Amino acid sequence: MMLLQVQGLTKTFGGLRALDDVSLSVEEGTIHGLMGANGAGKTTLFSLIAGNQAPTAGSILFQGRRIDGLSPDHICRAGIARTFQIVRPFAGLSVRQNVETGALFGRVPRLGARAQAALVDEILHDCGLGALADRQAASLTLSARKRLEVARALATGPRLLMLDEVMAGLTPAEVAEMIGALHRLKDRHGLTILIIEHVMQALNRMSDRITVFHRGRLIAEGRPDAIATDPAVAEAYFGVDDAAEGAP
Ligand SMILES: Nc1ncnc2c1ncn2[C@@H]1O[C@H](COP(=O)(O)OP(=O)(O)OP(=O)(O)O)[C@@H](O)[C@H]1O
Ligand SMILES: [Mg+2]
């Protein structure tokens, strides 16, 4: 079953088409990767799906129901959570309190206090934050802040979890740790994951399918092995990097 269906999605900012007539489906229970050079429109896609911005044209269906035009809190309660590329925890609150605020917003506020606390504990543990639960969020390393961002999103009880570069800036060991955590979380919470990542190896290893964007347009979609050898991807994506590296 397709959990998410995006049809003809367009977003313009003045004269700029950040997303241009994009159609994309995400199958339930999969990890679906999104890649593309800087400015390709990946984060904009998340913002439209999560209701943080309104599309210029097109439609978004979640579980077969139109969600474009709904407010972010409605969309969150419907079962979609996102992380932000620039992590923004409540710096003065503890790690645990940050995750608890996530739980206030989403699908699970009807849990009793004890069940709620157990869920928060489980999420902290699965995100490798158990030992840091009482630390101030401001004191965390980048790696732990990224995992806190995932934990907060997860606490809303999503069916679709959208991760925006949660591995950026991490060491290879921390990337491996994050991949392990995401697989555990996916299995335990029955998640479907839409993930933006520049760390190519991680994206290839994790994803069932990958969609590639270039300047607002969808230019390729398929299994990771097919994407890795797609000439249009090589030209649009790696070509940009090569040119930049070769520049004086
Ligand atoms: N609120 C905004 N107002 C104006 N332009 C915007 C806004 N948000 C994004 N853009 C522009 O839209 C384009 C797509 O941006 P977006 O952030 O979606 O790219 P991205 O693929 O996430 O890039 P990156 O890999 O750098 O995070 C860029 O040219 C960006 O400058
Ligand atoms: Mg982005």
Side-chain angles (χ1 to χ4, degrees):
M1 190 195 99
M2 291 302 170
L3 187 64
L4 180 79
Q5 288 165 292
V6 164
Q7 285 156 359
L9 206 59
T10 297
K11 178 66 178 176
T12 60
F13 295 109
L16 175 81
R17 294 177 93 77
L19 273 185
D20 190 359
D21 194 19
V22 165
S23 297
L24 168 75
S25 293
V26 178
E27 191 171 347
E28 178 144 40
T30 61
I31 299 182
H32 193 123
L34 301 180
M35 56 182 264
N38 296 122
K42 306 177 298 294
T43 296
T44 300
L45 177 65
F46 275 16
S47 296
L48 299 182
I49 294 169
N52 303 116
Q53 289 172 343
T56 306
S59 62
I60 305 168
L61 283 87
F62 181 63
Q63 297 180 300
R65 202 164 63 90
R66 288 234 5 210
I67 58 163
D68 48 283
L70 298 182
S71 65
D73 59 313
H74 268 91
I75 292 172
C76 182
R77 278 200 296 278
I80 298 179
R82 72 173 293 187
T83 65
F84 287 88
Q85 191 167 350
I86 313 288
V87 294
R88 41 186 188 189
F90 296 108
L93 298 185
S94 73
V95 168
R96 180 190 302 279
Q97 287 167 333
N98 265 278
V99 178
E100 285 168 350
T101 61
L104 289 179
F105 288 105
R107 287 202 305 151
V108 289
R110 284 173 296 279
L111 284 181
R114 196 178 298 172
Q116 176 105 336
L119 176 68
V120 168
D121 276 341
E122 181 186 300
I123 290 171
L124 287 169
H125 178 264
D126 284 346
C127 293
L129 294 168
L132 302 174
D134 298 321
R135 289 268 298 273
Q136 269 215 343
S139 74
L140 298 181
T141 62
L142 175 68
S143 168
R145 280 207 308 275
K146 293 274 188 185
R147 280 180 280 124
L148 176 56
E149 186 75 4
V150 175
R152 287 171 69 201
L154 204 61
T156 68
R159 306 200 49 175
L160 177 67
L161 178 62
M162 302 196 293
L163 303 173
D164 197 348
E165 300 200 27
V166 292
M167 301 186 209
L170 304 192
T171 66
E174 289 166 343
V175 167
E177 205 180 332
M178 178 69 89
I179 291 175
L182 293 178
H183 277 128
R184 278 197 303 279
L185 295 169
K186 175 177 182 291
D187 291 345
R188 203 197 282 255
H189 298 271
L191 300 173
T192 302
I193 296 178
L194 193 53
I195 179 166
I196 297 171
E197 203 50 69
H198 283 293
V199 182
M200 277 292 301
Q201 262 189 328
L203 199 68
N204 280 337
R205 255 176 61 198
M206 292 186 70
S207 302
D208 299 295
R209 282 187 90 71
I210 292 179
T211 300
V212 187
F213 292 93
H214 189 57
R215 296 184 183 155
R217 303 197 73 115
L218 191 161
I219 59 160
E221 187 176 307
R223 297 172 58 86
D225 48 351
I227 291 298
T229 55
D230 188 311
V233 176
E235 188 182 333
Y237 194 73
F238 302 111
V240 172
D241 285 347
D242 286 347
E245 273 166 24

